[in-house]
């Protein structure tokens, strides 16, 4: 709460947030603005005067030229943006670009940001933009992360700090407690700072609590998969009911991971595609659902990832595909960095008769230190080349 009070004290010390030169936007551009994105308290677009016909072409030409030369937009993008804003001098937009550059935005990021929200060039950099940037820095967002986040979706820069951003932060802090978790959620979607939490997020959290999901699991879902938590309440309710009917235990984290796996049309489409791919490898319907129950995100892998990993286990290592169905977590590991190096070592040890019936989980799930001690260092006298096999310097067949 100290952060919240300090931030509010800091931001309220700034003067009025009105920043538009009344001679810089045509009435046409005003009609194309999206009112819901603007703060009601600090509306950055007061009544604007209309350009005289004799100056319109000159201003439009300058605007397009500035957007191309200073902001890096293509001629087509600049022409389109000039329908939304019109500039008659470089002073104000230059100050905006300078602020963004000093805060770590690259030329490419600035170009993408301005292309998406060109009217930000008319914002007052010190009174309007800087307080918002510094608020996010104050809760732990790095310069590089914030530049990436805002380049992806700069909408939050159009919202009021006092009326939208800080209240959203206060609400999220009451749920997640730690700034690190809030930042993690923000990296995944800026809409956790943009939407009215009383409409969907709040009711969805209440629903999870009602069905017995502990707060730690609610926090897990909101931190790592906030888009699932922000579904429309009616759709979210259907998803929770479906996961319940599949037999997931609400008290375990797999429940909320399953909610994420089947949330929204996109995830449901991926789920169906994964089902079809596993079927190709001989998994039955019951085996697929059993794997989903153990590790719900095994139904969110790409077809390429599944095919490459299954091909290695089944066709290269000679394992039954049913072994993978019993331990689907192994599908998440990197083929090049973990699966192949470790399996090469096990292949050598088995060929030498030094190990027998070692489980795939023991080989792949344990941390590297454990693996090296258990399967490499332990046998360095019998097989001196084992570390080189693990590092990919020697082929297992040459040992």
């Amino acid at each position: 709460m100290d952060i919240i009070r300090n931030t509010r004290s800091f931001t309220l010390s700034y003067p009025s947030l009105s920043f538009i030169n009344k001679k810089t936007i045509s009435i046409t551009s005003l009609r194309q603005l999206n009112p819901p994105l603007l703060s009601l308290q600090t509306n950055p677009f007061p009544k604007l005067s209309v350009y005289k016909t004799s100056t319109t072409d000159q201003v439009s030409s300058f605007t397009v030229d500035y957007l191309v030369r200073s902001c890096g937009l293509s001629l087509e993008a600049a022409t389109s943006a000039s329908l939304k804003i019109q500039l008659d001098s470089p002073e104000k937009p230059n100050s905006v670009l300078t602020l963004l550059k000093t805060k770590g935005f690259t030329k490419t990021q600035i170009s993408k940001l301005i292309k998406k929200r060109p009217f930000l060039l008319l914002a007052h950099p010190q009174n309007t933009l800087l307080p918002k940037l510094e608020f996010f820095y104050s809760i732990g967002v790095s310069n590089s992360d914030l530049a990436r986040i805002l380049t992806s979706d700069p909408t939050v820069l159009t919202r009021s700090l006092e009326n939208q951003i800080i209240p959203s932060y206060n609400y999220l802090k009451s749920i997640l407690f730690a700034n690190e978790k809030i930042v993690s959620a923000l990296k995944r979607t800026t809409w956790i700072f943009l939407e009215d939490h009383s409409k969907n997020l709040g009711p969805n959290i209440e629903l999870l609590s009602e069905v017995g999901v502990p707060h730690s699991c609610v926090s897990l879902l909101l931190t790592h998969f906030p888009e699932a938590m922000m579904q429309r309440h009616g759709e979210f309710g259907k998803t929770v009911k479906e996961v319940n009917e599949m037999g997931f235990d609400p008290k375990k984290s797999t429940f909320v991971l399953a909610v994420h796996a089947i949330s929204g049309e996109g995830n449901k489409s991926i789920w169906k595609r994964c089902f079809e791919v596993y079927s190709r490898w001989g998994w039955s319907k019951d085996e697929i659902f059993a794997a989903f129950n153990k590790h719900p995100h095994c139904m969110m892998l790409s077809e390429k990832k599944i095919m490459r990993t299954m091909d290695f286990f089944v066709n290269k290592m000679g394992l039954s595909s049913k072994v993978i169905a019993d331990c689907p977590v192994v599908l998440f590991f990197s083929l090049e960095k973990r699966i192949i190096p470790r399996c090469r070592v096990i292949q050598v040890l088995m060929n030498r008769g030094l190990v027998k019936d070692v489980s795939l989980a023991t080989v792949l799930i344990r941390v590297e230190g454990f693996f090296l001690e258990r399967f490499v260092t332990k046998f360095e006298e019998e097989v001196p080349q084992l570390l080189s096999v693990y590092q990919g310097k020697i082929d297992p067949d040459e040992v």
Side-chain angles (χ1 to χ4, degrees):
M1 293 304 295
D2 288 340
I3 291 178
I4 301 170
R5 285 193 292 267
N6 291 340
T7 305
R8 180 175 284 109
S9 175
F10 168 77
T11 54
L12 292 180
S13 66
Y14 280 84
S16 171
L17 302 185
S18 177
F19 60 84
I20 296 298
N21 183 329
K22 295 185 179 181
K23 296 182 180 180
T24 55
I25 296 187
S26 69
I27 200 67
T28 300
S29 65
L30 178 60
R31 290 171 177 167
Q32 294 179 352
L33 294 174
N34 188 354
L37 297 180
L38 304 179
S39 161
L40 294 178
Q41 181 183 17
T42 58
N43 185 355
F45 299 101
K47 290 185 177 181
L48 307 172
S49 59
V50 183
Y51 280 105
K52 295 181 179 179
T53 305
S54 60
T55 64
T56 300
D57 291 343
Q58 293 178 352
V59 173
S60 179
S61 176
F62 172 80
T63 301
V64 172
D65 183 69
Y66 183 89
L67 292 171
V68 171
R69 293 178 180 273
S70 299
C71 302
L73 272 64
S74 67
L75 180 60
E76 180 181 2
T79 302
S80 175
S82 70
L83 299 177
K84 302 174 183 177
I85 65 164
Q86 291 187 349
L87 309 172
D88 57 6
S89 70
E91 283 76 19
K92 181 167 285 187
N94 277 352
S95 63
V96 171
L97 298 184
T98 298
L99 172 64
L100 295 176
K101 290 174 184 176
T102 59
K103 293 303 180 180
F105 287 75
T106 65
K107 291 181 179 179
T108 300
Q109 289 174 330
I110 290 174
S111 179
K112 290 181 179 179
L113 187 149
I114 297 303
K115 181 179 179 180
K116 293 177 179 178
R117 294 290 188 275
F119 56 81
L120 288 174
L121 287 172
L122 302 175
H124 193 296
Q126 298 301 318
N127 291 357
T128 302
L129 297 181
L130 183 59
K132 296 172 187 178
L133 297 178
E134 293 194 337
F135 171 80
F136 286 112
Y137 297 144
S138 75
I139 67 172
V141 187
S142 68
N143 286 43
S144 59
D145 281 339
L146 188 59
R148 180 187 57 78
I149 291 167
L150 296 178
T151 299
S152 176
D153 184 4
T155 306
V156 71
L157 290 177
T158 69
R159 296 295 179 87
S160 167
L161 181 62
E162 290 80 11
N163 294 339
Q164 180 67 43
I165 297 174
I166 291 177
S168 293
Y169 167 79
N170 291 340
Y171 178 81
L172 293 169
K173 191 69 178 286
S174 71
I175 303 298
L176 298 177
F177 305 142
N179 282 345
E180 292 81 3
K181 293 182 178 181
I182 297 174
V183 172
S184 180
L186 174 65
K187 288 179 181 180
R188 288 161 176 80
T189 175
T190 60
W191 283 93
I192 61 168
F193 275 89
L194 297 174
E195 290 198 342
D196 181 351
H197 297 135
S198 66
K199 291 183 178 180
N200 295 306
L201 182 56
N204 290 346
I205 291 174
E206 291 178 9
L207 175 61
L208 290 177
S209 298
E210 289 171 3
V211 300
V213 176
H215 184 273
S216 60
C217 292
V218 173
S219 178
L220 171 69
L221 187 60
L222 181 56
T223 300
H224 298 287
F225 313 105
E227 66 280 3
M229 285 290 292
M230 297 178 71
Q231 292 182 88
R232 292 181 178 177
H233 184 58
E235 292 301 315
F236 187 78
K238 293 178 182 178
T239 300
V240 170
K241 181 181 179 181
E242 186 176 351
V243 170
N244 241 330
E245 292 173 348
M246 289 180 181
F248 283 89
D249 184 349
K251 292 182 172 55
K252 295 182 178 180
S253 61
T254 49
F255 187 93
V256 293
L257 295 180
V259 168
H260 172 238
I262 63 173
S263 293
E265 293 303 317
N267 286 354
K268 288 179 181 178
S269 176
I270 295 173
W271 199 99
K272 292 177 182 178
R273 184 167 65 249
C274 287
F275 189 99
E276 189 274 329
V277 174
Y278 290 131
S279 297
R280 273 189 260 160
W281 285 99
W283 294 15
S284 68
K285 179 179 178 180
D286 288 342
E287 286 170 334
I288 293 174
F289 273 95
F292 179 52
N293 196 282
K294 290 179 180 178
H295 295 283
H297 280 181
C298 73
M299 302 301 287
M300 297 193 73
L301 296 171
S302 70
E303 180 176 353
K304 180 180 179 181
K305 169 63 174 171
I306 296 172
M307 293 298 292
R308 290 185 68 233
T309 307
M310 290 295 291
D311 177 68
F312 177 81
F313 284 134
V314 176
N315 297 326
K316 301 293 191 304
M317 295 297 297
L319 298 175
S320 167
S321 68
K322 304 300 178 67
V323 172
I324 315 304
D326 289 336
C327 189
V329 67
V330 300
L331 292 167
F332 296 93
F333 298 127
S334 167
L335 195 60
E336 289 75 18
K337 295 180 179 180
R338 178 173 292 207
I339 296 175
I340 292 177
R342 294 191 181 190
C343 286
R344 281 174 173 169
V345 170
I346 300 302
Q347 180 183 343
V348 171
L349 295 177
M350 293 185 72
N351 289 342
R352 293 288 189 95
L354 296 173
V355 298
K356 294 180 180 179
D357 301 325
V358 60
S359 73
L360 200 59
T362 300
V363 172
L364 295 176
I365 294 178
R366 304 300 290 267
V367 297
E368 185 178 35
F370 172 89
F371 178 83
L372 291 174
E373 182 180 350
R374 174 80 177 271
F375 297 107
V376 178
T377 306
K378 182 179 179 180
F379 300 103
E380 60 184 358
E381 290 187 6
E382 294 91 335
V383 191
Q385 310 98 316
L386 210 51
L387 182 60
S388 295
V389 171
Y390 177 70
Q391 295 171 340
K393 298 176 180 178
I394 298 178
D395 191 278
D397 296 331
E398 297 177 3
V399 178

